Amino acid sequence: MLQVAGVLKFRDRATADFRDSELPILDAVGRTFAVRLQRELLRGLDSSYIRLEENSPRFRGKLLIPKQVRYNAAHRERFFCRSDEFLPDTRMNRVFKAVCHRLLDVTTRPATQEPLRHCLLLLNDVTNAPIGREVFDTVVFDRQNERFKDLFEFCRWVIEGRSPALQAGRRTSFSLLFNMNAVFETFVAEFLRRRVAPEIGCRMLAQSSGRPVWLMKPRDGGRGGVRLRPDVLIEGSNTSSILDRERNDTALVLDTKWKKLEDRKRPSNADLYQLYAYLQRFGTARSILLYPRVVNSRCRDFDIIDSEGQETGQRIAVRFVNLDRDLGTNAARAELADELKGIVASGLGRCRPSESA
């Protein structure tokens, strides 16, 4: 999920050798980073010209006369020089080394620590330096170091997004926190775009495709309006855009919720009000609240009624998706695609919705 959602921007081949292992999440993430970094470092370290000043018996570069007079008046055998050396001691490599040390301190499995130690061995000539957030804005990418960009962004995520990092004696506590609402939302939208939309012939507009759809605005024209941003808008490919029509019964609003919804429980009033607002504003006949499946979860449907108590034909469906799968395998991804296809197709009115969990 983290990979498809773009939180970990690593290719599948970086994790192919340990998909079947039972690694804790921190070790799995650390190993993914270490294996990819190890492979890139073996191709060659990021290097650049670094300006050095040294007082040594060798004359190299430009003689700094003021410092030569100051420090070497009584040592004519020494030269205070400045030179530019092509070295791997770059800011990017310092970031990699700092993150490897951090992950080595907080991971426990040999499968993770071995590639981390190998990376540190390859970075042996790089200076150990404290890394602050300001370092990430000073690194410039070009065609020579572009291959490190995803790894560098992961390091930014570790350094800037870590919480908490507590130290007591020789024991270190470290955790990586994910906004699972955002991860689940992005994962479902991206998976639908890749695997479902092309097969059932529909269009997807994630987060309203960036176009503003307002529910209300202040009369004075100032700030403080309410904008509607459903997670996914889905419509048949042969219809005009839902954003350009007042009513589209062939369209579907899908909103994800990372919540535990068990049997005999219904969605919260806030979630139902939110989907009702989507139905009214976008004029769709169906909307879906999508939750991760848990034990005893049960699909439900809610019909919208008018002021006279009559059904309007609009419906809010509560559906669940099974994430208890090894999504690293093609078979599991195919099963998930089939499950989401059924949910979307039933919402578009192409088949009867299933009432089973």
Side-chain angles (χ1 to χ4, degrees), residues 161-192:
R162 64 185 189 278
S163 177
L166 306 177
Q167 194 165 359
R170 294 186 177 182
R171 298 187 61 84
T172 302
S173 175
F174 181 89
S175 66
L176 299 176
L177 302 184
F178 306 97
N179 183 344
M180 287 307 300
N181 282 313
V183 171
F184 184 47
E185 169 193 324
T186 309
F187 167 76
V188 170
E190 185 64 16
F191 201 90
L192 286 171

Side-chain angles (χ1 to χ4, degrees), residues 30 42 69 73 91 93 98 114 119 140 143 148 158 161 187 201 218 230 233 304 308 324 330-331 337 356:
L42 289 173
V69 173
R91 292 177 179 175
N93 287 334
E114 181 180 349
C119 290
V140 178
R143 60 185 182 87
F148 291 105
V158 170
F187 167 76
L233 293 175
I304 307 300
E308 299 178 356
D324 188 16
N330 291 328
S356 61

